[in-house]
Amino acid sequence: MNRTKGDEEEYWNSSKFKAFTFDDEDDELSQLKESKRAVNSLRDFVDDDDDDDLERVSWSGEPVGRRTRPGSFQSLSDALSDTPAKSYAPELGRPKGEYRDYSNDWSPSDTVRRLRKGKVCSLERFRSLQDKLQLLEEAVSMHDGNVITAVLIFLKRTLSKEILFRELEVRQVALRHLIHFLKEIGDQKLLLDLFRFLDRTEELALSHYREHLNIQDPDKRKEFLKTCIGLPFSAEDSAHIQDHYTLLERQIIIEANDRHLESAGQTEIFRKHPRKASILNMPLVTTLFYSCFYHYTEAEGTFSSPVNLKKTFKIPDKQYVLTALAARAKLRAWHDVDALFTTKNWLGYTKKRAPVGFHRVVEILHKNSAPVQILQEYVNLVEDVDTKLNLATKFKCHDVVIDTYRDLKDRQQLLAYRSKVDKGSAEEEKIDAILNSSQIRWKN
């Protein structure tokens, strides 16, 4: 699928595209890796900086850009012209027929230098294979990605596919530039032919897989992904391709069912919280959040059950708990939040436990406007005293601050905190009662 003019302008002007450098290994496995990002992120729902073991989820790859230099031509089309470039304007008074075209005198080296300066050049005079290859080698020696790509466009147009592939196979720098260029313009057919010629089977498989990005219809995309299963991916990538197919298959079922429930208007959750977008083609973590939001209590045997998703895609406990917490807290379903962290031992005693730090639980609860009574309960579960005091002070959990300073026997801090609570409040009375207690042996 070729780029539109608008896409090309965005490519050249946007800073989001990574530049190509000569130090890069042209490894589709490290640059593309759409399949490798299939099952892993939470930062869309939990704003937390220390979650280093969770990765972002995306079914789409990031385009790889090209290196540009200040003063270089703005687009490749500016560098190439079917009309020979004039070296200078005719002198005043020179007869019209005496104009001389100096471009035919330019050597490959001269031509490449002009291209590098962003000047318009015609490459048509280089007709023999030897001249064309010399032009390419001069471009490579300049270490300028734009110039190399400009020459490669000329060779792609004027050489047969077989000759072009054969010559580039022994010129790895130019080969890498051609591969990146073909990816950017969407010439998937030539790219696949090139990978077949080079016998780069895994890159061939990844390029084939990338074609799913151009398929909008979910059923057709699902069928295409099915054709990717069994292609020569690495073992790890093969598992992710299978996950991608399974997830989309499940999303199609969930979407059809939920659209029907929503239009019927008989399901309370959809009446109170209408869906803002389709679940189709969403990342796994988004699907899990959606499931925890709309289908939290469903039996494990249903496709939309959060527990079913967790088991099918082997979602870690940490990620599952954080996603479920974010979804249930958004609904202010505090009973579900409590049940999420409550465990019972063999004697029947209950205890709050979590696979993540309770300081993170507190942050998420506050973000979703949890009542102070609920916040205080979870702030009290934070083990580190300094962290507990910081959170309690930040979120005005007065009882936690007062009780902590009392337990620390820190009279000075308690006196200082007294000035921060409202005059005549229950908190002030509590502090006064503690300060007047004869049973506490203060450390200061």
Side-chain angles (χ1 to χ4, degrees):
M1 182 176 181
N2 291 335
R3 287 177 172 271
T4 64
K5 183 176 181 182
D7 292 334
E8 290 176 354
E9 290 176 356
E10 179 185 1
Y11 169 80
W12 285 102
N13 297 321
S14 173
S15 62
K16 71 180 180 179
F17 297 115
K18 181 181 176 184
F20 178 87
T21 69
F22 284 82
D23 296 328
D24 288 343
E25 290 292 332
D26 181 51
D27 185 357
E28 182 78 0
L29 301 177
S30 61
Q31 292 290 342
L32 235 184
K33 285 293 187 186
E34 293 101 339
S35 59
K36 202 166 189 177
R37 301 177 192 156
V39 195
N40 357 61
S41 170
L42 199 58
R43 295 189 177 95
D44 288 342
F45 304 106
V46 183
D47 185 14
D48 196 295
D49 295 333
D50 66 351
D51 191 24
D52 293 333
D53 56 333
L54 300 180
E55 301 173 13
R56 286 197 173 276
V57 179
S58 175
W59 293 129
S60 62
E62 297 179 1
V64 178
R66 285 165 289 189
R67 188 167 82 177
T68 59
R69 295 176 179 274
S72 62
F73 40 78
Q74 295 300 308
S75 69
L76 293 174
S77 59
D78 293 340
L80 304 174
S81 171
D82 291 333
T83 305
K86 306 301 185 290
S87 58
Y88 54 84
E91 294 178 8
L92 187 65
R94 173 178 289 183
K96 186 175 180 181
E98 294 184 15
Y99 179 84
R100 179 181 175 186
D101 180 3
Y102 283 89
S103 64
N104 288 330
D105 297 334
W106 297 334
S107 67
S109 178
D110 294 333
T111 302
V112 165
R113 278 196 292 271
R114 288 182 61 82
L115 283 173
R116 193 182 187 194
K117 293 177 180 178
K119 297 184 181 297
V120 178
C121 296
S122 171
L123 306 182
E124 299 302 320
R125 64 175 295 271
F126 299 102
R127 298 187 177 183
S128 71
L129 177 60
Q130 181 179 354
D131 285 346
K132 291 174 181 178
L133 295 178
Q134 186 179 352
L135 184 67
L136 178 61
E137 287 167 1
E138 289 288 346
V140 170
S141 70
M142 287 286 183
H143 298 287
D144 188 299
N146 278 331
V147 176
I148 295 172
T149 306
V151 173
L152 284 170
I153 291 174
F154 170 64
L155 298 186
K156 174 177 173 287
R157 181 166 56 84
T158 59
L159 291 178
S160 70
K161 181 170 60 179
E162 292 75 16
I163 293 175
L164 177 64
F165 292 172
R166 183 192 70 204
E167 296 300 335
L168 292 184
E169 187 176 19
V170 295
R171 295 170 173 83
Q172 289 297 306
V173 172
L175 177 63
R176 289 199 293 272
H177 276 78
L178 180 64
I179 289 172
H180 282 293
F181 175 69
L182 293 178
K183 289 175 186 174
E184 288 307 302
I185 66 171
D187 194 339
Q188 197 70 12
K189 184 178 183 304
L190 188 60
L191 188 62
L192 292 174
D193 288 342
L194 176 58
F195 284 145
R196 286 191 192 96
F197 176 85
L198 298 171
D199 197 28
R200 288 160 66 161
T201 56
E202 193 168 346
E203 289 177 89
L204 178 63
L206 281 168
S207 290
H208 178 73
Y209 167 73
R210 197 184 188 201
E211 289 187 39
H212 83 271
L213 298 170
N214 300 322
I215 304 173
Q216 301 304 316
D217 181 85
D219 288 303
K220 291 180 180 178
R221 181 180 281 205
K222 182 192 75 171
E223 291 306 310
F224 177 83
L225 288 172
K226 191 173 183 179
T227 69
C228 295
I229 299 172
L231 291 178
F233 295 103
S234 66
E236 183 182 12
D237 283 340
S238 292
H240 290 316
I241 296 294
Q242 178 66 61
D243 279 346
H244 189 174
Y245 169 77
T246 303
L247 180 61
L248 180 56
E249 182 180 46
R250 184 164 298 198
Q251 287 172 339
I252 291 172
I253 296 171
I254 295 172
E255 176 66 22
N257 182 62
D258 287 2
R259 193 187 302 121
H260 172 73
L261 291 174
E262 189 172 31
S263 62
Q266 297 179 357
T267 306
E268 184 180 7
I269 184 69
F270 290 112
R271 288 202 311 271
K272 287 186 174 180
H273 305 280
R275 301 186 311 150
K276 296 181 179 179
S278 166
I279 194 63
L280 295 175
N281 299 317
M282 291 293 111
L284 175 59
V285 71
T286 310
T287 308
L288 177 61
F289 181 91
Y290 177 96
S291 178
C292 289
F293 193 92
Y294 288 107
H295 302 282
Y296 193 65
T297 60
E298 287 188 9
E300 184 181 332
T302 62
F303 281 144
S304 50
S305 160
V307 177
N308 190 304
L309 285 171
K310 180 179 186 294
K311 289 189 175 180
T312 300
F313 297 101
K314 299 179 176 61
I315 299 172
D317 288 342
K318 181 177 182 179
Q319 187 161 21
Y320 178 81
V321 166
L322 287 173
T323 308
L325 171 61
R328 303 318 292 173
K330 193 171 185 66
L331 284 168
R332 303 179 67 79
W334 309 124
H335 177 75
D336 291 338
V337 170
D338 185 70
L340 194 60
F341 299 106
T342 302
T343 60
K344 186 179 291 187
N345 64 15
W346 63 279
L347 291 174
Y349 295 109
T350 60
K351 183 180 180 180
K352 290 284 195 299
R353 298 183 63 182
V356 296
F358 277 109
H359 67 285
R360 301 187 61 192
V361 175
V362 171
E363 295 282 358
I364 296 169
L365 290 174
H366 178 263
K367 189 175 182 179
N368 288 280
S369 305
V372 68
Q373 295 85 354
I374 292 175
L375 279 178
Q376 287 190 153
E377 179 181 0
Y378 287 94
V379 170
N380 259 326
L381 294 171
V382 176
E383 293 184 1
D384 182 77
V385 174
D386 289 335
T387 304
K388 179 191 294 187
L389 284 170
N390 286 336
L391 288 171
T393 303
K394 178 180 178 182
F395 300 136
K396 298 186 180 344
C397 297
H398 299 305
D399 283 343
V400 176
V401 178
I402 295 168
D403 292 343
T404 302
Y405 286 141
R406 178 199 63 197
D407 295 341
L408 292 172
K409 297 179 173 56
D410 196 330
R411 182 182 179 86
Q412 297 304 316
Q413 288 290 352
L414 196 55
L415 280 169
Y417 195 72
R418 185 181 185 278
S419 64
K420 297 179 182 179
V421 300
D422 295 336
K423 294 289 185 182
S425 65
E427 290 79 19
E428 186 182 59
E429 292 179 5
K430 181 176 180 177
I431 293 173
D432 288 342
I434 293 173
L435 290 172
N436 293 327
S437 173
S438 60
Q439 298 179 356
I440 301 174
R441 297 182 61 182
W442 301 102
K443 70 176 184 181
N444 53 29

